[in-house]
Amino acid sequence: MAVPTGSPSVGVPKTGAMLAAALAGVLSLAVIVFAADAWVQEVRPGLGWLAAAVGSGTVVAGCVGRRRRPDSVVGPLLVVSGLLFLVGRFWWSSMPWAYTTGVTLQQAHLAVLAHAGLALPTGHLDRLVDRAVIGFVYVDTLAGAGLWLLFERCPYPSGCPANVVALWGAPDLRAQLGTIADYGAVVGALAVLGALALRVVRGHSALRRALLPAVLGLLGRGLLYVVPLNLGLIDYGEWYDVATAALVPIGLTVGLLRGRAGLGRVGRFALEVDEAHGEADSLRVGLAHTLGDPTLDIVYASSAGWADEHGNPTIEPTSSRGRALLPVTDADGDLRAIVEASDHVLDEPALVAGATAIARLVLDNRRLASEVEAQLEDVRASRVRMVRAKDDERRRIERNLHDGAQQHLLSVALTLRLAQEADDGYAHLEASAGEAVDEIERAVRELQELGRGLHPTVLTDKGLTAAVRALTTRSGVPVTVRMADYGPGALPDTVATTAYYVIAEALANTTKHARATHAHVLVNPAEPGRLRVEALDDGVGGAQVAAGTGLQGLRDRVEAADGLLLVDSPPGSGTIVTAILRTRP
Amino acid sequence: MSPSPLSVVVADDSSLLRSGVVRALELSGAEVVGEAGDAADLLHLVEAIGPDLAVVDIRMPPTHTDEGLRAAAVIRDRHPKVGLLVLSQYLEPEYASDFLAGDARAKGYLLKHRVTDLGILAEAAHRVGHGGTALDPEVVNTLFDRAAPSSPFADLTPREREVLALMSEGLSNAAVVDRLVLSTRTVEGHVAEVYRKLGLPPERTVHRRVQAVLAWIRATT
């Protein structure tokens, strides 16, 4: 089954990650080299290693984020920010081109981090205010860098490497515009924090879980470093700068990966469904819990239209502001259900894909189960029809035998007997007629036996007990019967007929195969709504319910009547045939 | 033979068999005054003629189950003086015992294939037509077969069983004497012994004796 989003794809991110790692390695090396020969007094070789670690770490975190959340661009933003951080540290270098590049991009990574923070967890800036804030931050960062590039040669009294791009030195202009840019940076930082706070306050629980670490990281960096530095409250310190810079990517990475916790809920949901053998008590509750949206609802497509989870008819959900409609299709692509939820759930496409995949499995399972049930019902019904048709046919043949052939034979016999009585001197004819009558009487008896075997008229007319007594009279083995007096209509027709055939078949087997000395027939009401029919003998046992045997036909008949047939016949230990029949539906 | 012949109505849906029965009855000296092909015709005839005896096939149209028995019940209800001889395809004594329940006077129950034994048919017809009782020996034997091994029936000697069977068929002591070719005294001795062993009160009339025997068999099987 194809899950459209959320499965870790391998190809592109891997190439990208290797490229990013290679770039980070080269840049880290450069930072370490530049730090070792820095013109900035405070920069020691150790700081180079620290900065390399922070930058590379951010790149690695971004790659991990990309791999675990391929649907989100937060990972790539982290990678970019880490690379920019490394490039920004080039300003320590004594080499003019490196210095110029570094100073220009000194703060650029912060703008990208702010972008990533406001875009958590998907990477999209959904709201206008967020886009405005990030736009402002990028513009302010670029403006600060541009001003410096154009108008500054070296702001430091102790001297620094030359700005290779500067057109002309204009320290006063640069200082005035630079102050504006600095205040802009403060405003940008506060705006980012404000926008983040707004998202935290207004967002749903899953978003808060993702945002909290990022907010803490940004807050740490902003309150500990950016704001006090730009307000002149603290002096610039390289170690402090680099160390606090690491807080933001750490927070973002943690936040990005925390969103993955939802997939754990998908896994638990899947386990619950599996333990319930492909069923969910309430698909709605399971989905709501998994997607973290208690307002979630589900409607099911049925042949009669749409129905809620209790089967009550309802209307097809329509899209509305702030709500998302998630279609659930079956294996054939037919729409089976629509999940309606807060559109926040769309922030977690992998979660949605996983949860709806489970919903699809549950619905497929239900559909298959109901199809199987329907087929089983068909089979049951057809078996009932077959047994009924057989009985009707037997009844018809029995009646034809009885009212047709037997009557005719008796008429012939009677006519012959009357001819015999005529006493008109044909002695040899009289003797022949007598023999013919005897033959006809034998034929009539055989037909009677045949008719009784075909259809027990006495069962219909006089009830089960009378019919069972008639069976025992004809049995070749003495039979003890223990049963109440079930007259005609005392039991449902099907039950009486089935019970009769169970006893008839069992006694016939006893007579024919068991070499028994005695048989017992017991008929008792069992648990409420059941009749227990037992036929036992003390014969040789070994009876089997195998294809083509009378017992197999009997089992078909009993099961068609929604009953149960048990045959216990160990060799040498007699036979017990038990049927449990349902007397109440 | 009585001064006026026994008047009989015969009901059977098979016309061939019916005419055979009619001839057999006429041979025995009875006068067949009407023939019916179903229960409704039978009721009309009995209503119109008021015969001594109705010979009724148990299975008649429309359902071919026990129309004859139901018609017999109606006749017994409306015309208690008409004797009823039922010809039955059913060996099961349940059919007979329902029919014979209550007053067994002028009732007979023969298996259908008995019609070819002209003697039994004629004897039963005349006995029932004159207020007696007749029960098919085969049905009686079936009742005996069902007796539980523990019942007092097991204590009867073979000769006593034979006597009991004939009593159940509806024979008087004199008829039993004829049938078994024994002395009257011996038969009376056997009858008394059967009564003693089964714990039955001695009955004088034959039909009450049949009824007592039937009741006893029903109670113990």
Side-chain angles (χ1 to χ4, degrees):
Chain A
M1 189 171 304
V3 178
T5 56
S7 60
S9 46
V10 180
V12 176
K14 214 169 194 177
T15 319
M18 282 165 65
L19 200 68
L23 215 54
V26 171
L27 293 176
S28 294
L29 212 62
V31 167
I32 290 164
V33 170
F34 292 151
D37 184 29
W39 65 271
V40 184
Q41 291 293 309
E42 303 153 44
V43 177
R44 297 289 175 271
L47 188 59
W49 288 99
L50 179 63
V54 169
S56 305
T58 306
V59 170
V60 170
C63 289
V64 171
R66 173 68 176 165
R67 191 165 170 70
R68 301 276 295 272
R69 292 287 304 263
D71 55 289
S72 171
V73 293
V74 171
L77 283 174
L78 279 173
V79 171
V80 170
S81 136
L83 295 176
L84 281 175
F85 176 80
L86 290 173
V87 175
R89 295 322 98 191
F90 283 13
W91 79 276
W92 295 333
S93 173
S94 307
M95 297 159 80
W97 62 267
Y99 166 80
T100 307
T101 312
V103 173
T104 309
L105 296 173
Q106 202 175 358
Q107 308 294 330
H109 70 281
L110 288 176
V112 178
L113 283 179
H115 179 180
L118 283 188
L120 263 183
T122 61
H124 302 298
L125 294 168
D126 293 328
R127 297 183 311 163
L128 191 63
V129 59
D130 293 342
R131 286 198 286 274
V133 166
I134 292 306
F136 175 79
V137 167
Y138 277 125
V139 167
D140 182 64
T141 306
L142 283 175
L147 281 173
W148 182 84
L149 268 181
L150 295 176
F151 304 121
E152 184 70 85
R153 286 195 191 279
C154 179
Y156 303 101
S158 51
C160 55
N163 175 356
V164 293
V165 185
L167 298 179
W168 71 89
D172 292 343
L173 181 62
R174 147 61 205 154
Q176 285 165 11
L177 294 174
T179 306
I180 295 172
D182 285 350
Y183 280 109
V186 174
V187 170
L190 290 175
V192 167
L193 286 173
L196 267 177
L198 215 58
R199 292 197 77 195
V200 169
V201 170
R202 291 196 178 162
H204 52 99
S205 60
L207 183 61
R208 275 195 213 116
R209 288 167 54 85
L211 280 178
L212 193 64
V215 169
L216 287 177
L218 275 173
L219 213 58
R221 169 70 177 175
L223 293 181
L224 292 177
Y225 184 75
V226 180
V227 174
L229 180 74
N230 284 289
L231 292 178
L233 295 179
I234 57 166
D235 290 333
Y236 177 78
E238 281 301 316
W239 283 89
Y240 195 48
D241 183 6
V242 172
T244 54
L247 290 174
V248 181
I250 290 173
L252 285 172
T253 309
V254 171
L256 182 63
L257 298 183
R258 265 186 109 178
R260 299 277 299 182
L263 288 178
R265 291 202 298 275
V266 172
R268 278 197 296 279
F269 187 28
L271 279 178
E272 281 170 22
V273 167
D274 185 49
E275 279 167 12
H277 304 290
E279 189 43 81
D281 282 345
S282 167
L283 201 52
R284 189 187 63 75
V285 171
L287 286 172
H289 181 71
T290 306
L291 292 178
D293 177 14
T295 70
L296 178 143
D297 203 0
I298 184 166
V299 297
Y300 298 96
S302 73
S303 52
W306 297 91
D308 67 11
E309 62 176 337
H310 304 297
N312 302 317
T314 184
I315 52 164
E316 183 176 359
T318 50
S319 55
S320 61
R321 194 177 153 76
R323 305 294 287 175
L325 298 179
L326 312 170
V328 182
T329 53
D330 64 14
D332 300 330
D334 295 330
L335 185 64
R336 309 298 307 181
I338 293 181
V339 175
E340 192 226 354
S342 160
D343 61 4
H344 289 140
V345 301
L346 297 178
D347 290 349
E348 305 282 352
L351 209 55
V352 169
T356 50
I358 292 172
R360 175 167 49 238
L361 290 175
V362 169
L363 291 181
D364 270 352
N365 205 39
R366 282 184 189 168
R367 184 172 55 91
L368 292 174
S370 67
E371 277 173 12
V372 166
E373 185 57 37
Q375 282 168 0
L376 204 59
E377 201 46 54
D378 281 351
V379 170
R380 279 197 200 111
S382 89
R383 190 155 60 171
V384 168
R385 283 197 301 275
M386 279 162 65
V387 168
R388 195 167 294 160
K390 189 163 98 175
D391 287 353
D392 288 348
E393 191 61 10
R394 283 169 158 231
R395 188 189 300 252
R396 196 182 62 76
I397 296 173
E398 188 265 352
R399 177 167 296 176
N400 286 347
L401 277 183
H402 220 139
D403 301 320
Q406 277 187 59
Q407 299 285 74
H408 287 305
L409 284 175
L410 275 181
S411 307
V412 172
L414 185 51
T415 309
L416 283 172
R417 194 65 93 193
L418 288 165
Q420 221 181 349
E421 291 290 312
D423 198 17
D424 48 10
Y426 293 101
H428 63 287
L429 281 183
E430 281 174 28
S432 301
E435 282 167 25
V437 169
D438 289 346
E439 282 303 310
I440 291 171
E441 279 178 349
R442 253 195 293 281
V444 167
R445 280 179 182 280
E446 281 172 15
L447 284 179
Q448 276 174 350
E449 278 306 306
L450 194 59
R452 285 200 188 95
L454 277 173
H455 173 75
T457 312
V458 61
L459 177 65
T460 328
D461 292 345
K462 299 294 166 187
L464 180 62
T465 304
V468 170
R469 289 200 181 286
L471 281 176
T472 61
T473 309
R474 296 204 295 279
S475 163
V477 177
V479 185
T480 306
V481 179
R482 216 163 278 170
M483 67 190 292
D485 188 7
Y486 295 103
L491 294 167
D493 280 356
T494 315
V495 176
T497 308
T498 311
Y500 173 84
Y501 278 111
V502 168
I503 296 164
E505 180 68 29
L507 289 180
N509 283 346
T510 296
T511 304
K512 275 187 268 178
H513 310 298
R515 299 204 287 277
T517 63
H518 205 94
H520 291 262
V521 171
L522 309 167
V523 180
N524 291 304
E527 52 204 275
R530 301 281 194 287
L531 188 73
R532 186 185 184 87
V533 178
E534 275 177 298
L536 306 78
D537 69 47
D538 57 357
V540 295
Q544 283 183 337
V545 185
T549 64
L551 284 175
Q552 180 62 56
L554 194 60
R555 172 163 288 173
D556 288 347
R557 181 183 280 279
V558 169
E559 287 175 0
D562 205 8
L564 194 68
L565 182 79
L566 307 164
V567 176
D568 184 17
S569 186
S573 304
T575 299
I576 304 177
V577 175
T578 309
I580 309 290
L581 303 173
R582 195 190 286 265
T583 50
R584 280 202 303 265
Chain B
M1 186 126 328
S2 51
S4 62
L6 189 71
S7 66
V8 186
V9 168
V10 179
D12 194 314
D13 59 310
S14 157
S15 57
L16 192 60
L17 193 62
R18 191 171 67 227
S19 61
V21 171
V22 167
R23 277 182 63 200
L25 288 171
E26 283 171 346
L27 275 180
S28 74
E31 186 189 357
V32 176
V33 292
E35 296 182 35
D38 59 35
D41 281 357
L42 169 66
L43 291 175
H44 284 132
L45 280 176
V46 169
E47 188 84 32
I49 299 170
D52 298 325
L53 175 70
V55 178
V56 184
D57 180 25
I58 204 169
R59 276 168 76 132
M60 282 192 292
T63 68
H64 294 274
T65 52
D66 59 352
E67 282 78 3
L69 281 182
R70 276 182 270 151
V74 173
I75 292 171
R76 174 47 47 110
D77 203 35
R78 295 189 194 158
H79 310 280
K81 286 189 177 158
V82 176
L84 292 165
L85 176 58
V86 168
L87 299 180
S88 169
Q89 282 90 337
Y90 303 119
L91 180 58
E92 291 80 15
E94 280 80 8
Y95 291 91
S97 52
D98 281 1
F99 169 61
L100 295 169
D103 187 2
R105 197 195 321 257
K107 280 184 189 170
Y109 188 95
L110 285 186
L111 292 177
K112 188 82 180 268
H113 59 80
R114 203 69 66 195
V115 295
T116 58
D117 192 330
L118 301 179
I120 287 189
L121 178 65
E123 190 188 322
H126 285 275
R127 197 157 65 228
V128 173
H130 291 105
T133 308
L135 185 53
D136 195 285
E138 216 170 321
V139 177
V140 171
N141 274 328
T142 306
L143 281 170
F144 288 175
D145 282 349
R146 291 191 184 177
S150 58
S151 81
F153 184 79
D155 295 341
L156 299 182
T157 65
R159 182 60 94 181
E160 283 162 3
R161 286 188 194 199
E162 218 169 344
V163 171
L164 175 61
L166 293 173
M167 284 161 62
S168 316
E169 284 175 36
L171 299 192
S172 63
N173 283 3
V176 174
V177 166
D178 279 355
R179 195 73 75 83
L180 297 181
V181 200
L182 291 170
S183 72
T184 309
R185 183 172 281 275
T186 313
V187 168
E188 280 170 355
H190 287 315
V191 170
E193 193 62 8
V194 167
Y195 276 124
R196 194 187 61 75
K197 283 185 177 169
L198 302 188
L200 289 171
E203 296 285 354
R204 282 203 203 110
T205 62
V206 171
H207 68 266
R208 293 187 68 180
R209 195 160 74 170
V210 173
Q211 231 165 313
V213 173
L214 279 174
W216 173 80
I217 293 170
R218 268 209 297 279
T220 52
T221 51

